[in-house]
Structures are given as C-alpha cells and as structure tokens.
C-alpha cells in the first residue's frame, strides 16, 4: 500500500472546515518523506526486474542473485529482509515478513564429496506471518495462514495454519484459523494517515 497513487485514490476525505481535515493533512505532510522513500524503493526493485504488486509495502530488502525471481503479492509487508535468489521466491497476498528474516533458495549438499550447489524455490502463501530473524531454507512451502516464530529455522514445508517455533523449527499442536480479515499494511503510520486520517 506504499503506492502514492493507491493512497491518493483511497484517501479519507474530510471537510476543509473540520479539525480532522487539518489533522489528516498534518500527518500526511509529516510522513511524506518516508512515503516517497518507500515508493522509490518499490520502483527501483521493479526496474531491476522484481515482480512486486504496487499495493505491497517494501522495507529495506537486500536481494542477491536474479531479481526477476522475486514475486510479491498485494497488501504484503516485507521489513528489512535478505533474499538469496538462486531460485524463485513467491510471496502471496496479505503476508507479513518481519525485520531480520533471511530467505535462502540455495545451499550445498554436505554429504556429496563434490559439495554441489542445491537449489529450491520458496513459496509463501496468503496470510503467512514470518517472525523477526527467522530463516527459511530452500524448497520450503509455507501454506496459507501458517506462522513462523521469531528466530525459527524452517527446513520443511508447513500446512495451512501450522505454527512453528525454535531451531530447528518444531510444529506446535495448536493451529491458526484459516479465514482471515486483515491487511498487515493497514497498521503502518503512512497508510493510516491517508486511509483513515
């Protein structure tokens, strides 16, 4: 939702004679430099070949490898993360990826004497939440609504609603609901200033 075009089209409107008009525009003006910076990052990644929906919120991500292998859906939030793009990383809609997360699509086979490069794509379905400083390893598929706890290291795919914590990641017995009605981008100050006022 960092797109200035989207925020302008969907902005909350108030009468110029109301206090809410001045509050909303005060917040928008104050937060404008940050919004411009986020839009610049989004456009730069798109120019470098990444397939990012204009309604996604992109933090200071570091990409290594082929930028064209990254795809991000609408209303997804990516914090300060690292992605090694040896294979595709596909991120769905309404996903929240917290700061410090590392997504690795390449590694080496330690049991082969020639130590060959192993690659595997990462798929993150809608409404997945990946906690701070978690690591997602090659070939992992995080299905709809699954949650990865902070600093967990995930080497195996998760089914819908599964929650994992720890290193190595262990599945909790309790599952998350599968029907969701939230947008992780709407909680951000820039977006609230425009959409709510």
């Amino acid at each position: 939702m960092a797109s200035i075009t989207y925020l302008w089209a969907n902005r909350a409107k108030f009468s110029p004679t109301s206090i809410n008009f001045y509050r909303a525009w005060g917040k928008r003006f104050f937060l404008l430099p940050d919004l411009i910076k986020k839009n610049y990052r989004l456009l730069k990644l798109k120019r470098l070949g990444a397939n990012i929906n204009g309604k996604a919120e992109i933090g200071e991500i570091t990409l290594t490898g082929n930028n064209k292998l990254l795809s991000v859906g609408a209303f997804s939030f990516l914090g300060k993360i690292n992605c090694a793009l040896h294979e595709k990383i596909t991120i769905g809609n309404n996903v929240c990826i917290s700061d410090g997360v590392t997504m690795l699509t390449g590694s080496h086979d330690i049991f082969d004497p020639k130590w060959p490069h192993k690659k595997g794509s990462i798929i993150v379905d809608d409404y997945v939440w990946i906690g701070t400083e978690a690591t997602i390893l090659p070939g992992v598929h995080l299905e709809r609504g699954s949650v990865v706890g902070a600093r967990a290291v995930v080497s195996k795919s998760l089914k819908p609603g599964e929650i994992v914590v720890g290193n190595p990641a262990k599945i909790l017995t309790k599952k998350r609901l599968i029907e969701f009605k939230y947008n992780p981008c709407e909680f951000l100050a820039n977006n609230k200033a425009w959409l709510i006022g």
Side-chain angles (χ1 to χ4, degrees), residues 26-172:
K27 290 178 194 175
R28 292 167 185 171
F29 181 74
F30 179 74
L31 295 167
L32 187 60
D34 186 52
L35 181 61
I36 291 169
K37 200 184 314 178
K38 287 179 179 178
N39 272 263
Y40 174 75
R41 271 197 302 263
L42 181 71
L43 290 172
K44 184 179 174 187
L45 289 171
K46 283 181 164 188
R47 279 192 209 116
L48 292 172
N51 179 17
I52 301 174
N53 188 291
K55 296 174 190 165
E57 189 78 33
I58 306 298
E60 297 172 25
I61 66 175
T62 302
L63 303 178
T64 54
N66 185 350
N67 294 330
K68 293 178 182 177
L69 296 174
L70 177 65
S71 175
V72 181
F75 306 112
S76 288
F77 169 79
L78 281 64
K80 295 177 184 176
I81 68 169
N82 297 304
C83 298
L85 294 163
H86 303 284
E87 282 290 335
K88 283 186 180 180
I89 294 179
T90 306
I91 297 167
N93 301 319
N94 299 82
V95 171
C96 182
I97 303 180
S98 303
D99 289 348
V101 169
T102 300
M103 304 178 90
L104 303 172
T105 58
S107 186
H108 292 274
D109 185 348
I110 60 170
F111 298 108
D112 188 314
K114 293 184 180 176
W115 199 53
H117 200 218
K118 287 180 9 176
K119 298 189 273 186
S121 60
I122 294 174
I123 301 170
V124 181
D125 288 348
D126 300 349
Y127 292 103
V128 168
W129 177 20
I130 303 175
T132 304
E133 296 183 359
T135 300
I136 312 299
L137 297 178
V140 169
H141 181 180
L142 304 174
E143 293 189 38
R144 182 182 172 87
S146 55
V147 176
V148 176
R151 296 192 172 171
V153 177
V154 183
S155 61
K156 294 183 175 132
S157 297
L158 300 181
K159 293 188 170 98
E162 285 187 328
I163 303 167
V164 294
V165 295
N167 178 6
K170 290 190 168 66
I171 297 172
L172 300 181

Side-chain angles (χ1 to χ4, degrees), residues 3-36:
S3 163
I4 292 172
T5 308
Y6 176 84
L7 294 174
W8 178 261
N10 294 283
R11 72 191 184 280
K13 297 175 185 172
F14 304 100
S15 166
T17 58
S18 73
I19 190 76
N20 289 335
F21 177 85
Y22 296 98
R23 275 191 191 137
W25 281 103
K27 290 178 194 175
R28 292 167 185 171
F29 181 74
F30 179 74
L31 295 167
L32 187 60
D34 186 52
L35 181 61
I36 291 169

